[in-house]
Each structure stands twice: as structure tokens, then as C-alpha cells.
Amino acid sequence: MKCYFCSVFMGAVSFLTVAAAAEGDGFVTDLSRGWRFSAGPQFNFGAKGRLGVKSGSVSVPPPVHSGNRAAAQAAGDAISIGSGRPDFPNGAHIDSNDAAGIAGETWNWRVPSGQVNDGVMSFQHAYSEQTTTYDVLRGGTDTDDAWSAGANFGLDRAVWKWGDFGIDVGFNFSFFIKDKWFKGVSGGYTRTDTYTAGTYDTDVDLGNAGIFGDPWSRNPDGSFGAGSFDGPGPVLDLDDISVSHGWGAERTSSSRISHGPFSIRGDLQVYEFQLALKPYYELTDWFMVRGTLGVGLDHRRLDVRVSGQGGDSERDWDCYVITGLGGMFRWNDVCLGADFLRKVFDDGMDVDTHYVHGSVDNAKWVLRVYVGYEF
């Protein structure tokens, strides 16, 4: 429909242009007059952006894991019974060397008070770990419909005149460059912290629980064993001592914190090319009412940036029909006018970049103000 209308309209403009160069009643045939150059500001209203962040394009921090579980296990595994003198974290020690010199047994040992239960010393090495993960949230789309201002330049040619009525053919070029035309938010991510705490347990079974039930083996301070090379004291059988390790019960908790959403910023550039018939009626010799009916071609570019991520751009072309009504004041060769225009049969721009998806609708309404010179 749009293409058919554009073809018909271009044919009509070509016919009038050729007819204007030929002799005929009402047509302006003198190419040395009937021209008008104009320039001025232009304001676009009704453009709307609907943009959202693509969740698959968002970069979030990688998972982070920290903790001392391995250190707790290493500390527990370091508790062992062997040759020489192992010293334990609770202050106990077992030395295989004593004055008796009998292999496989010793009285050179000591366990502090309260550090043994039924012949077993228990040790716990606590640990804690934290795992942090990030999940992208789908935040939908946001909208913005900021107006934009630009500049317009026009060149009109009178092609037909009959009394107070007439028709001009005009070409207009305009552009709009607006930083941060779109401002919105979308998406985000959640941070999940998982906490795990527990113990690595080590039991040292001294093998002869009966010793610890004998009052003779208990020292006045509540400890057990002679604790010296010379002794004498209760004897431990070194071959009966065993060490075992294992993980205790774990406690897990988690917390979630939402971050975002991400902010979206869009810079819009629009370049317009319009060709139109402009019929008019002169109410007085210094003021006329003018209409506009024509076709337009827009080149649009949207540069988008997502906070903390990156940016890219989308661009396309669009053909449409332009209609409108306005008025113009004239004084000698100078004119001052304004047109209120409406774009119809135009298509929005689909946005599908690496970071952002959505659409941008064209401005539907246009206010054009200009100052011109006729020659």
C-alpha cells in the first residue's frame, strides 16, 4: 500500500514539474522565480521506545568459592601416633622413649585433666565455607517516549497559481540527534551466598581405658601419666593406640540479594527526506494557509548501552506518508511559517542487538517552524 502510494505520488509530482515548465493556463513557467528556501527548528512528538535487556547477553561475575575445609582436614590428619614424641593440640603428649627402654610401651606420656573420656581423646577442627553464585533475572521491557528537537531545511517551487489558490512542490531535509533519548531499566541479577559450617573430627584411642579408672594413675592436678623420661608411672601399650578421622555434621544456610536492574540508555538519530505537494490559499497578501501531502523516507539509528555491560546499535530505513496543515506570513521576500504534520503508514524499528531487544515507534506528530526567503 505504501509503495503504491509513493509511486503514484512521485508520478504526480513529476507531471506537475514538467507541466510547470510548459506553457499553460495557471502553471508557473518562469523558472527564474517562484522559489523559496527555508530553514528552522523542528520538533517530533510521539516516538516511543520499548527496550529490554537480553538475559543471555549479560555478563555476571563467575561463581566464587572460599573456605578452610581443606585446612581443617589437614590439621586433623596431622594428628598421628608414630616414633618419637607426638604433641597433641590439647596439651597431651606420648613419648615412646623412657628409662625402662621396653619396646612397644612407655610411661613417658601425659594427658591434661578433662582431655580424655573412656580412654579416648577427641579433637574437632572447625571449618566454614562460602559459595557465591549469580543468576540473571528477566526484567521485561521498559518504555520511554521523550520528544526530540532538530533542524529542518526546505526548498519549495511554485508550480501552479490560480487567483488566491496555488500549489507548491517542496523538498525538505531534517535531522534529529538526541543523546539519552531513551532512559529505562530492565533485568538484573541475584547473588546467592551459601554458607556451610562443620568440623573434621579426630579420635585418639589410648587403648587401655582401665588406666584412667585407676585412682593411682591420676595426678594431684587431675592429669594422667608420669609425663617424664624417668617415670615411673602408668604404662601405655603403644601398639594398642589407634587414630581415626571423620567429618562431623554440617550446617548449611543461604541468603539471596537482588542487584539491578540494569539501566538502558539509547541515543537516537533520525534523518528525514520528504517530497510533498503543498496547496495553499492566500487569505490576504501577507498570510496564507497551506496544506501538505507527500511521502517521506527516514533513516533511523539507535545507539544503546547497558550499564556495566556494553553497547551496540540498530538502524533501518522507513517510507511513509506525510500530511499536515500550516500557515505562513509573508513580508516582501521574507516569510515566517509553521506546519503541523502527521506521519501515517509508517513502521516502527525492530531492535535486536547483542544486548537489547524491543522496538522504536516513529514520532507521529511534527511541528515545523521556519523562516524563508523567496526569490
Side-chain angles (χ1 to χ4, degrees):
M1 176 66 182
K2 284 196 301 183
C3 294
Y4 176 76
F5 181 87
C6 292
S7 299
V8 172
F9 180 81
M10 294 296 292
V13 172
S14 300
F15 170 76
L16 287 174
T17 304
V18 173
E23 296 295 337
D25 191 19
F27 288 106
V28 179
T29 60
D30 186 358
L31 296 180
S32 64
R33 63 183 182 87
W35 297 90
R36 180 187 303 109
F37 175 76
S38 61
Q42 182 168 310
F43 306 91
N44 285 4
F45 303 92
K48 178 178 289 187
R50 300 178 184 86
L51 301 178
V53 176
K54 287 184 175 179
S55 59
S57 68
V58 173
S59 299
V60 297
V64 178
H65 180 84
S66 61
N68 56 354
R69 181 185 177 99
Q73 183 177 11
D77 291 344
I79 299 175
S80 62
I81 300 296
S83 60
R85 171 177 166 162
D87 291 294
F88 299 97
N90 62 358
H93 74 270
I94 301 175
D95 195 332
S96 59
N97 298 312
D98 63 359
I102 301 175
E105 62 179 38
T106 184
W107 61 44
N108 189 2
W109 63 277
R110 190 177 186 86
V111 177
S113 175
Q115 299 299 314
V116 65
N117 183 22
D118 291 334
V120 178
M121 293 190 297
S122 297
F123 304 93
Q124 290 185 329
H125 292 87
Y127 66 88
S128 62
E129 292 190 311
Q130 176 178 331
T131 302
T132 301
T133 58
Y134 300 86
D135 298 307
V136 177
L137 299 177
R138 294 183 179 273
T141 60
D142 204 353
T143 61
D144 197 3
D145 55 359
W147 62 277
S148 58
N152 172 76
F153 302 92
L155 181 64
D156 295 347
R157 168 77 172 104
V159 296
W160 186 80
K161 185 76 165 64
W162 189 271
D164 294 330
F165 292 93
I167 298 177
D168 294 342
V169 172
F171 172 79
N172 287 87
F173 167 73
S174 55
F175 64 88
F176 308 88
I177 301 176
K178 186 174 180 63
D179 293 341
K180 296 182 180 179
W181 170 80
F182 183 93
K183 291 178 287 186
V185 294
S186 172
Y189 64 92
T190 59
R191 168 179 169 167
T192 302
D193 294 323
T194 302
Y195 307 93
T196 302
T199 59
Y200 186 71
D201 301 334
T202 300
D203 291 335
V204 179
D205 189 343
L206 299 178
N208 188 356
I211 293 178
F212 302 98
D214 187 344
W216 177 81
S217 65
R218 182 184 294 269
N219 299 313
D221 63 356
S223 62
F224 295 91
S228 69
F229 176 81
D230 295 322
V235 175
L236 286 181
D237 188 337
L238 298 178
D239 295 332
D240 288 343
I241 300 175
S242 63
V243 180
S244 61
H245 305 280
W247 295 102
E250 287 188 339
R251 302 177 303 278
T252 302
S253 62
S254 64
S255 64
R256 302 187 70 182
I257 303 174
S258 296
H259 294 266
F262 301 106
S263 64
I264 306 174
R265 295 293 180 266
D267 302 333
L268 183 63
Q269 300 179 28
V270 181
Y271 301 90
E272 300 179 339
F273 307 88
Q274 296 171 354
L275 183 64
L277 294 176
K278 301 180 179 181
Y280 62 85
Y281 176 71
E282 295 177 333
L283 296 177
T284 68
D285 58 355
W286 51 270
F287 180 75
M288 68 171 62
V289 178
R290 298 205 312 167
T292 299
L293 178 62
V295 295
L297 181 66
D298 287 359
H299 176 66
R300 302 165 295 187
R301 170 172 173 166
L302 180 69
D303 297 321
V304 293
R305 176 165 291 276
V306 178
S307 60
Q309 303 301 314
D312 43 24
S313 62
E314 185 74 84
R315 65 188 74 194
D316 77 345
W317 291 86
D318 179 51
C319 182
Y320 54 88
V321 175
I322 187 78
T323 64
L325 185 66
M328 185 175 67
F329 295 91
R330 304 170 66 187
W331 182 73
N332 292 334
D333 296 331
V334 179
C335 60
L336 173 65
D339 293 325
F340 194 60
L341 306 172
R342 176 73 161 89
K343 295 179 179 179
V344 294
F345 303 128
D346 61 329
D347 296 326
M349 177 174 64
D350 293 329
V351 179
D352 187 14
T353 71
H354 177 74
Y355 294 101
V356 173
H357 65 96
S359 63
V360 173
D361 293 338
N362 269 347
K364 302 296 184 182
W365 300 97
V366 178
L367 176 60
R368 178 181 297 160
V369 181
Y370 58 88
V371 175
Y373 177 74
E374 298 178 342
F375 55 94

